[in-house]
Amino acid sequence: MIRPEELAQRQLDAYNKQDIDAFVSVYTDDVIVRDFPSNRITLSGMQEFRERYANLFATNPNQHAALKSRTVKGNIVIDHEHVTARENGEDIEAIAIYEVTGNKIKNVWFVK
């Protein structure tokens, strides 16, 4: 069994390499991405997820997410990241909550 923090690290590494296949490989086919705390769904399903991140990688070829902290509790991983070199020139602080089911990430919440 793959530890939840290993999945979070794999997707972060793939994100920074802009390797879309490696990135999506750690997510379930029915992945759901939501805003937190509203729980509003922003992406649903692998096709929509893949398209969104492929576009993000294409429009931000130099972006990089540096992990500032990681908290793990059971099957939940909370990452705080500092993202730089975005196309719009703005750095962002991102907090992502990943819920792992089996050996894949099933749910993601981004703190707004």
Side-chain angles (χ1 to χ4, degrees):
M1 182 168 220
I2 302 170
R3 294 179 307 157
E5 59 268 32
E6 290 177 58
L7 290 172
Q9 188 61 49
R10 285 183 191 179
Q11 66 86 41
L12 179 62
D13 292 343
Y15 179 95
N16 284 331
K17 291 177 187 169
Q18 298 206 348
D19 182 338
I20 191 66
D21 292 328
F23 181 75
V24 302
S25 74
V26 301
Y27 291 90
T28 63
D29 287 340
D30 57 347
V31 60
I32 298 175
V33 180
R34 298 176 177 92
D35 287 342
F36 182 89
S38 71
N39 224 25
R40 182 180 68 88
I41 295 174
T42 58
L43 294 171
S44 181
M46 181 52 70
Q47 181 177 343
E48 193 174 345
F49 186 80
R50 177 184 274 276
E51 287 172 5
R52 166 71 174 91
Y53 279 94
N55 183 56
L56 180 73
F57 294 166
T59 58
N60 296 277
N62 298 312
Q63 76 180 350
H64 183 268
L67 185 64
K68 292 179 78 173
S69 68
R70 174 171 286 153
T71 302
V72 181
K73 173 76 173 170
N75 68 326
I76 302 293
V77 179
I78 303 170
D79 280 358
H80 178 191
E81 303 164 356
H82 182 77
V83 183
T84 58
R86 294 176 56 85
E87 181 185 46
N88 63 9
E90 294 181 18
D91 292 356
I92 61 169
E93 295 294 317
I95 297 176
I97 304 167
Y98 304 103
E99 180 183 28
V100 174
T101 301
N103 286 320
K104 300 244 180 170
I105 298 170
K106 164 97 172 120
N107 290 295
V108 181
W109 292 265
F110 287 106
V111 177
K112 296 294 177 184

